[in-house]
Amino acid sequence: MLRIISEREKDMEDKAYRNFQELEAYGENTQSSLLYLLLETLGVKNVHSDHAASHIGKAQGILTCLRATPYNSSRRKVYLPMDICMLHGASQEDFIRGSRDQNIRDVVYDIASQAHVHLQHARSFSENVPHVAMPAFLQTVVLEDYLQRVRKVDFDVFHPSLQKRNPMLPLQLYLRSWKKIY
């Protein structure tokens, strides 16, 4: 709980992540920590569950930052990792203007790809994760849904369809819960 609080206090500094590792560390210290607490509440003490929680939390932290980009840009704030933005020649002003140029899409692609890698890695532990831990990991359905939707719009993070809810999400959550897979 203390890791979550101290990491959230850093949010008050209101500055972009210098590199992708800082964004991953944020996901680990906030989202993964919540998952560890949830697993503890469920009575799960399993190293594979902890590894899965770590990767799911990182993916969630990354995608939360990505999903918030249109909102943050409207407030003239950009929190995406500067190293990836510089790699593709994308400035903060490009995001603030809501640019849909290819270099912006390349930044979004790189960030979304890393979140996808974390989700895949988390799923690689699924055979060794006890079924009682599955409710803690159902948020992967929401993360996967966003990744699919951003892929469909060619990684245009400002596309209006990304701001709409998926009406099939409750059904997807139910099916994954019933099948006991994340």
Side-chain angles (χ1 to χ4, degrees):
M1 189 62 102
L2 292 175
R3 280 194 333 178
I4 296 169
I5 293 169
S6 65
E7 195 66 33
R8 292 289 184 172
E9 284 176 343
K10 290 180 189 175
D11 274 351
M12 305 292 234
E13 295 171 10
D14 208 30
K15 58 183 182 178
Y17 299 101
R18 288 184 303 224
N19 54 47
F20 197 77
Q21 290 74 24
E22 283 185 6
L23 178 55
E24 283 183 321
Y26 173 79
E28 175 69 29
N29 292 331
T30 57
Q31 307 301 326
S32 295
S33 292
L34 285 172
L35 286 172
Y36 298 143
L37 288 171
L38 192 53
L39 288 173
E40 193 173 319
T41 303
L42 293 170
V44 177
K45 294 183 191 292
N46 177 291
V47 69
H48 300 293
S49 298
D50 289 344
H51 282 304
S54 174
H55 288 287
I56 292 169
K58 287 176 184 175
Q60 185 169 1
I62 292 165
L63 289 178
T64 299
C65 182
L66 195 57
R67 288 175 63 178
T69 298
Y71 171 76
N72 289 330
S73 295
S74 73
R75 294 178 47 237
R76 302 195 57 77
K77 305 284 184 192
V78 179
Y79 297 104
L80 298 175
M82 289 187 285
D83 62 340
I84 295 176
C85 292
M86 287 189 301
L87 177 70
H88 296 290
S91 69
Q92 288 191 348
E93 193 60 37
D94 291 334
F95 284 97
I96 291 169
R97 282 190 323 235
S99 173
R100 294 173 145 177
D101 293 341
Q102 188 60 44
N103 63 335
I104 300 300
R105 292 172 190 245
D106 291 342
V107 169
V108 173
Y109 172 81
D110 282 357
I111 294 171
S113 294
Q114 286 300 314
H116 179 73
V117 167
H118 281 296
L119 274 181
Q120 292 304 105
H121 203 80
R123 287 187 173 131
S124 72
F125 297 106
S126 65
E127 290 183 16
N128 299 312
V129 171
H131 289 299
V132 71
M134 295 304 168
F137 298 154
L138 283 177
Q139 64 197 18
T140 60
V141 175
V142 177
L143 302 176
E144 185 177 352
D145 176 67
Y146 183 77
L147 284 172
Q148 287 174 357
R149 291 189 305 132
V150 79
R151 189 179 310 123
K152 283 180 185 173
V153 296
D154 194 30
F155 301 95
D156 177 6
V157 76
F158 296 104
H159 196 278
S161 70
L162 295 176
Q163 303 304 315
K164 296 179 181 163
R165 297 178 191 265
N166 177 355
M168 296 303 291
L169 208 51
L171 180 61
Q172 291 171 346
L173 282 165
Y174 174 75
L175 289 173
R176 289 280 180 94
S177 173
W178 181 67
K179 292 180 179 179
K180 297 199 183 318
I181 57 173
Y182 61 91

